[in-house]
Amino acid sequence: MLRAAGDVLAEQGFAHLDLSDLARRADVGKTTVYRRWGTVTAVVTDLLAEMAAESVPRTETGTLLGDLRANARLVLTTLADPRQGPLFKAVIAAATCDDATARALAEFYATRIAEWAPCVTQAIARGEAPEGTDAEEVVRAVSAPLYYRLLTGTGDLDEAAADRSAAAAVTAARAGVFAETP
């Protein structure tokens, strides 16, 4: 069922999600689908939760730049994927006008950011970034330029863009841009 929902999102966008159509695509009884999910946004919520749970775990290279480059390349792989990129575009678009989808998307990103934030915390302990650096903000800074390229269609989604994004986040972190001020 969730695979079918992801397929429709990638192919046609959120506006075309329909529980009856999803049941048919997934070869599941319509009443089962309506009883289990009840709404399209409930399906999207479960899809995002599954995607977060199945995401590749963080990579630890021993350096902040290496770890954040691994994060950026993982985001790149997802966003440049012919299915996943359009799926994320559709969910992000839906989140702008549907509160339940917005909450589900925020939970997805909170899970992914929490997975990668320890890389920054470890870097702080190694002296690669100042004390008080907000690890979650650093991780957000890595993926934000890549999402911008996906959503606006400007600039290539390639390894050079991913590596630049990681390098910029590291430079900013080392300069104290993400350090909490008293």
Side-chain angles (χ1 to χ4, degrees):
M1 180 66 182
L2 298 179
R3 175 75 186 177
D7 290 346
V8 172
L9 282 168
E11 295 164 12
Q12 302 172 9
F14 184 82
H16 295 282
L17 277 179
D18 173 78
L19 291 181
S20 296
D21 180 50
L22 291 178
R24 184 189 52 72
R25 281 179 176 243
D27 198 26
V28 175
K30 221 174 15 173
T31 56
T32 301
V33 171
Y34 279 93
R35 195 172 345 154
R36 167 69 177 87
W37 286 281
T39 67
V40 167
T41 54
V43 174
V44 172
T45 297
D46 282 0
L47 174 64
L48 287 168
E50 179 182 83
M51 290 169 61
E54 292 180 358
S55 290
V56 176
R58 79 173 174 273
T59 300
E60 294 185 26
T61 66
T63 68
L64 182 58
L65 180 58
D67 293 350
L68 294 183
R69 184 179 290 138
N71 174 259
R73 288 188 177 190
L74 179 60
V75 171
L76 169 68
T77 299
T78 301
L79 299 183
D81 182 83
R83 179 179 184 271
Q84 294 295 94
L87 188 154
F88 271 101
K89 280 175 116 172
V91 171
I92 291 167
T96 65
C97 58
D98 182 87
D99 291 341
T101 303
R103 284 190 301 276
L105 187 61
E107 288 176 26
F108 170 84
Y109 287 119
T111 300
R112 297 308 301 146
I113 289 168
E115 172 73 24
W116 284 87
C119 293
V120 180
T121 305
Q122 293 164 355
I124 294 166
R126 291 190 301 264
E128 291 185 80
E131 288 293 325
T133 296
D134 185 329
E136 292 182 357
E137 283 300 316
V138 174
V139 175
R140 284 184 193 100
V142 172
S143 60
L146 301 173
Y147 276 93
Y148 176 83
R149 286 171 181 261
L150 172 74
L151 294 173
T152 64
T154 56
D156 294 331
L157 268 172
D158 56 16
E159 284 187 0
D163 292 350
R164 252 189 329 275
S165 182
V170 169
T171 300
R174 287 182 178 152
V177 169
F178 302 109
E180 298 166 1
T181 54

